Amino acid sequence: MRRYEVPRVAFINKLDRMGADPWKVLNQARAKLRHHSAAVQVPIGLEENFQGLIDLIHVKAYFFHGSSGENVVAGDIPADMEGLVAEKRRELIETVSEVDDVLAEKFLNDEPVSASELEEAIRRATIAQTFVPVFMGSAFKNKGVQPLLDGVVSFLPSPNEVNNYALDQNNNEERVTLTGSPDGPLVALAFKLEEGRFGQLTYLRVYEGVIKKGDFIINVNTGKRIKVPRLVRMHSNDMEDIQEAHAGQIVAVFGIECASGDTFTDGSVKYTMTSMNVPEPVMSLAVQPVSKDSGGQFSKALNRFQKEDPTFRVGLDPESGQTIISGMGELHLDIYVERMRREYKVDATVGKPRVNFRETITQRAEFDYLHKKQSGGAGQYGRVTGYVEPLPPGSKEKFEFENMIVGQAIPSGFIPAIEKGFKEAANSGSLIGHPVENLRIVLTDGASHAVDSSELAFKMAAIYAFRLCYTAARPVILEPVMLVELKVPTEFQGTVAGDINKRKGIIVGNDQEGDDSVITANVPLNNMFGYSTSLRSMTQGKGEFTMEYKEHSAVSNEVQAQLVNAYSASKATE
């Protein structure tokens, strides 16, 4: 809400529950959420004795009668509560006057403050985001819900009191202020999609202009021209057909193919609403449908979820061939796997995705290999000699092949087959079966046979030569290292830093930002699984982190031994 500058009111719920204490909650909101806030109501009784509320602005008591609190009855303030009401009203005026000059003047001069003056001051401070009015009640049986809705009308801005900006795509994304008037050109944002009974239901917020049933509108993001077939106003899950909607309204449209976050105009302007800040996904899982028959529904579900939610991504791991889904955390991805099961009847197995390790060599090694096969008919004969060496650090290429044979020891027609053989062999190293990179292969000599040499013979010679000299080149495993940026309240800094060290991370930066510490660290991806959950438990749910790929770097000898043993064991079971 701070990032998007949203004015807000707070509501303390469940005052009819055991142990309800609204004043404790209010103090926590001030201390932990740093809200400048005060109560605008006082409850009459708490827990099972909760009967109604006293409005501190108009100094009136309200009681909620009827089976679901639909009859709001105004009454007199109970005599035993007058002292508390006076004290809390003074506290409210004092808190608001700290951020509103007009009210501050009256408060300092000890002049009486009327209900309308106090209401206007609260509205000014709430819209300026310097104050949060706190309402209370119990949503069960609607106690306190009607005054809360009145508060939304009284204190929160109407659409034409908010500055909304669009980005002009014709003018290098320059910010344009939208007037919010129905007379301007149409600008509407699709902010939510829903799979309804009659196809996709798209919720639109109209920022400027008018949208009418039967109009042609243009999706700025895709450039498509679409007719509005049906326009509805939503009341929870009930729909009311309407003919037109004006700036400031939220409506739903049927039969429009679009993604969440697309902007629609009438074609006279090319504006897009500011794209919501979409963070990079931090968590990935491998998923696959349990039964082969549900493949169609599986891909349909994934396509639909991607449209609905810009933070949900789907990709294919080229090495393992698994479908990888990525999102903002374990819970985020669990919900989508669960939705796939519920809405599309697709059971999916979820695995820990394979971390993309690499292998490389650390020293030069010679090879000299003769591939010879004589078993009746055409034989195979090919000999390759040369060496492999690591590429210098920072080189752009991951694999280099160089032919340094002088003369015609191997006919030039067979050289591409030899390169192909080495490339194929480098696709899977002998340590853990992952691709080998950063290596240079130099061919210095060889031998061929006039009859038995063939492309296949030299390709096989290259593959076996590589396997033989690979162990002599002291291979190591490289693992992906992530650049992790954490933002945690300062009191948890020590615990979080200790945990990063435990995960073999290296802390490279630590800054202070308000009451939060911002820690930057390089941590191996293999040690980051389950991190979102453990960070939440270490920081009482207040810590957040982002993670992006930095580089592949060599693992320690101990980790290498573990990985190689695990690979050998899995090979043995196959």
Side-chain angles (χ1 to χ4, degrees), residues 86-87 229 246 267 285 328 343 352 365 402 432 487 531 546 567:
E87 177 202 327
H246 296 263
L285 284 177
M328 300 318 299
E343 294 173 27
K352 173 181 167 182
E402 203 170 327
I432 53 167
K487 193 173 181 184
Y531 188 62
T546 58
Y567 178 69

Side-chain angles (χ1 to χ4, degrees), residues 184-200:
L186 170 70
V187 180
L189 175 73
F191 65 90
K192 173 180 159 78
L193 310 178
E194 207 174 80
E195 195 71 70
R197 291 191 302 268
F198 314 107
Q200 182 173 298

Side-chain angles (χ1 to χ4, degrees), residues 275-294:
S275 62
M276 285 177 94
N277 178 359
V278 179
E280 281 302 303
V282 294
M283 182 85 204
S284 302
L285 284 177
V287 287
Q288 61 189 67
V290 174
S291 77
K292 292 276 184 284
D293 313 336
S294 50

Side-chain angles (χ1 to χ4, degrees), residues 400-554:
E400 269 182 26
F401 176 78
E402 203 170 327
N403 174 18
M404 290 176 72
I405 295 179
V406 181
Q408 284 288 316
I410 299 175
S412 55
F414 294 140
I415 300 294
I418 296 173
E419 183 175 354
K420 194 176 172 192
F422 278 120
K423 267 195 174 152
E424 213 168 280
N427 264 340
S428 158
S430 57
L431 289 178
I432 53 167
H434 281 259
V436 183
E437 53 182 42
N438 293 344
L439 89 151
R440 180 165 176 258
I441 295 174
V442 180
L443 197 59
T444 56
D445 198 4
S448 66
H449 187 281
V451 178
D452 289 348
S453 284
S454 65
E455 287 196 353
L456 178 68
F458 275 108
K459 184 178 155 187
M460 296 309 290
I463 289 174
Y464 289 121
F466 180 81
R467 286 183 187 163
L468 276 179
C469 72
Y470 186 60
T471 39
R474 299 235 338 252
V476 292
I477 298 171
L478 303 175
E479 66 179 343
V481 172
M482 310 301 277
L483 177 66
V484 181
E485 192 174 280
L486 298 120
K487 193 173 181 184
V488 296
T490 307
E491 67 255 37
F492 304 113
Q493 183 185 339
T495 320
V496 172
D499 181 71
I500 293 262
N501 292 330
K502 208 164 72 186
R503 292 173 189 268
K504 303 192 172 67
I506 298 163
I507 294 174
V508 290
N510 193 341
D511 295 318
Q512 206 64 22
E513 199 177 281
D515 294 350
D516 293 333
S517 285
V518 179
I519 300 172
T520 320
N522 298 334
V523 192
L525 175 63
N526 209 29
N527 302 340
M528 285 299 284
F529 288 109
Y531 188 62
S532 45
T533 315
S534 56
L535 179 68
R536 273 204 298 271
S537 57
M538 279 185 292
T539 61
Q540 298 175 6
K542 294 178 202 160
E544 51 183 56
F545 78 103
T546 58
M547 171 164 96
E548 61 187 65
Y549 170 75
K550 183 173 186 283
E551 61 189 4
H552 269 77
S553 68

Side-chain angles (χ1 to χ4, degrees), residues 87-144:
E87 177 202 327
K88 291 292 178 189
R89 189 170 196 264
R90 184 178 170 80
E91 187 188 311
L92 169 65
I93 294 170
E94 187 177 348
T95 311
V96 179
S97 64
E98 284 172 24
V99 291
D100 185 85
D101 298 342
V102 182
L103 195 69
E105 206 171 305
K106 291 210 146 221
F107 176 70
L108 293 171
N109 295 337
D110 257 352
E111 293 173 25
V113 176
S114 71
S116 61
E117 286 169 337
L118 181 53
E119 199 165 55
E120 282 165 19
I122 293 175
R123 181 180 176 83
R124 284 193 298 270
T126 306
I127 291 175
Q129 294 157 55
T130 51
F131 176 72
V132 179
V134 177
F135 292 81
M136 45 190 78
S138 161
F140 178 62
K141 297 281 171 77
N142 286 327
K143 289 184 177 176

Side-chain angles (χ1 to χ4, degrees), residues 140-171:
F140 178 62
K141 297 281 171 77
N142 286 327
K143 289 184 177 176
V145 173
Q146 297 91 333
L148 170 68
L149 294 175
D150 292 340
V152 169
V153 175
S154 305
F155 304 136
L156 294 181
S158 76
N160 55 15
E161 285 176 296
V162 179
N163 288 334
N164 289 309
Y165 299 98
L167 301 178
D168 189 349
Q169 295 302 321
N170 290 335
N171 195 3

